[in-house]
Amino acid sequence: MNRHHAVDTAAADLPAIVVRAVARRYDSRWVLRGVDLTVARGSVLALTGRNGSGKTTLLRILATLLRPNRGSVHIFGADAAANPDTIRDRLGYLAHAAGLYEDLTADENLLFAQRMGGQAAAVEQREAVLERVGLADERRERVRGFSAGMRRRLALGRILLRPPTLLLLDEPYASFDAAGISLVNEVARETADRGGAVVVATHDMERASVVMDARAEIVNGLIVTMPVHFAGVA
C-alpha cells in the first residue's frame, strides 16, 4: 500500500495541520512562544505578522526544515518529528530563496528535480510545466541570467512537477507581475480544492484575500485569529 494512502486513510477526518504549543528560539530570543494552529483540509490560510514575527520560522517548522524547541506538529495525521520524509514527499515549499542551480538551464533545473524526486525524466511534463509558468521560450537559458520574477516562476514550476498536498508559500507575491500573482493564487486554490491545504505567509492581504479562506496573525510569538476580509467586500 502507498504510504501516502495509508496516512490519508487513517487521518481522513483529521485537519490538514495541527500545531500545538509550538515554541522556537534563536539563542536566547523566543520567536514563537506557544503557537496553536489548526488548518482544515481544502483551505487556504493567510498567515500575517510584522517582519521578524516568526512567519518564516513557522513555515520552516511545517516544512520539517526546523524542529521546534517545544510543542508538536501533525500534518495529515502524521507526527512531523517522527515522519519527516513522509511529509516532505507531499510538500511544496516556495521559500524566499529560489534554491535553483544558476549554471543550469530552466529545463535542466526541472530535470534535476525530477531525478532527485524519483520521477521519470519526462520531457513532456517539463515542457507543460514551463509553459504554465510562462518560461517555455526560456527553457534552454541559464538561470544565471533570469530576473527575480523568472526565478520565482521556475521555483513554482519545480513544485508543479509533483503537485503537493501541503503547499507553503513565503511572501509568494514578491517579484511577480500581475500574471504571476494570478498563477500563484490559481495553484493555491487548486491545491486546496483537491483536498490539500495551503499556508500563505504574506504582508499583501489585498492579493491574498482573493484566495484565502482563513487568516491568522503572529503577535508576540502567539497566533491571533483574524477576521477575513475578501477582495471587494467592505
Side-chain angles (χ1 to χ4, degrees):
M1 178 182 289
N2 182 282
R3 62 180 172 177
H4 294 174
H5 179 73
V7 170
D8 284 347
T9 301
D13 297 327
L14 297 176
I17 300 170
V18 179
V19 175
R20 291 291 177 262
V22 160
R24 172 72 193 194
R25 70 182 179 191
Y26 295 102
D27 297 323
S28 61
R29 177 176 175 257
W30 289 94
V31 177
L32 303 177
R33 298 174 180 273
V35 166
D36 291 311
L37 180 67
T38 301
V39 181
R41 291 171 182 257
S43 69
V44 178
L45 172 75
L47 181 66
T48 61
R50 295 180 178 179
N51 287 336
S53 63
K55 299 188 301 298
T56 295
T57 296
L58 182 55
L59 285 192
R60 286 175 60 81
I61 288 172
L62 294 177
T64 73
L65 298 175
L66 282 178
R67 284 202 174 196
N69 295 101
R70 295 197 302 261
S72 65
V73 176
H74 286 78
I75 307 292
F76 296 101
D79 186 324
N83 303 279
D85 290 340
T86 299
I87 291 167
R88 289 171 192 163
D89 281 349
R90 59 192 311 164
L91 173 73
Y93 181 30
L94 185 65
H96 283 293
L100 302 168
Y101 294 92
E102 294 199 343
D103 289 330
L104 299 182
T105 66
D107 182 69
E108 287 168 345
N109 266 276
L110 295 188
L111 173 60
F112 183 77
Q114 284 177 324
R115 289 176 172 169
M116 290 298 292
Q119 296 175 273
V123 175
E124 298 82 1
Q125 184 191 31
R126 300 199 303 275
E127 289 177 343
V129 165
L130 288 168
E131 181 70 35
R132 184 169 188 196
V133 300
L135 293 174
D137 292 339
E138 291 81 17
R139 62 171 300 187
R140 293 187 175 86
E141 294 184 16
R142 295 188 187 279
V143 169
R144 184 175 299 281
F146 280 14
S147 67
M150 292 167 69
R151 290 166 187 253
R152 295 283 272 180
R153 284 175 177 271
L154 184 56
L156 184 61
R158 184 175 54 195
I159 290 172
L160 293 175
L161 286 171
R162 184 165 57 183
T165 312
L166 174 61
L167 180 60
L168 305 175
L169 304 172
D170 198 352
E171 295 295 349
Y173 307 116
S175 304
F176 273 134
D177 56 13
I181 290 166
S182 294
L183 176 62
V184 168
N185 282 339
E186 183 179 283
V187 171
R189 191 71 261 164
E190 288 174 0
T191 303
D193 287 349
R194 63 172 173 264
V198 184
V199 180
V200 184
T202 184
H203 289 95
D204 197 336
M205 288 307 303
E206 179 180 356
R207 292 185 169 99
S209 67
V210 174
V211 71
M212 71 181 184
D213 300 301
R215 179 186 172 194
E217 184 168 0
I218 301 180
V219 179
N220 295 324
L222 300 171
I223 288 287
V224 178
T225 302
M226 302 294 291
V228 175
H229 296 290
F230 294 102
V233 178

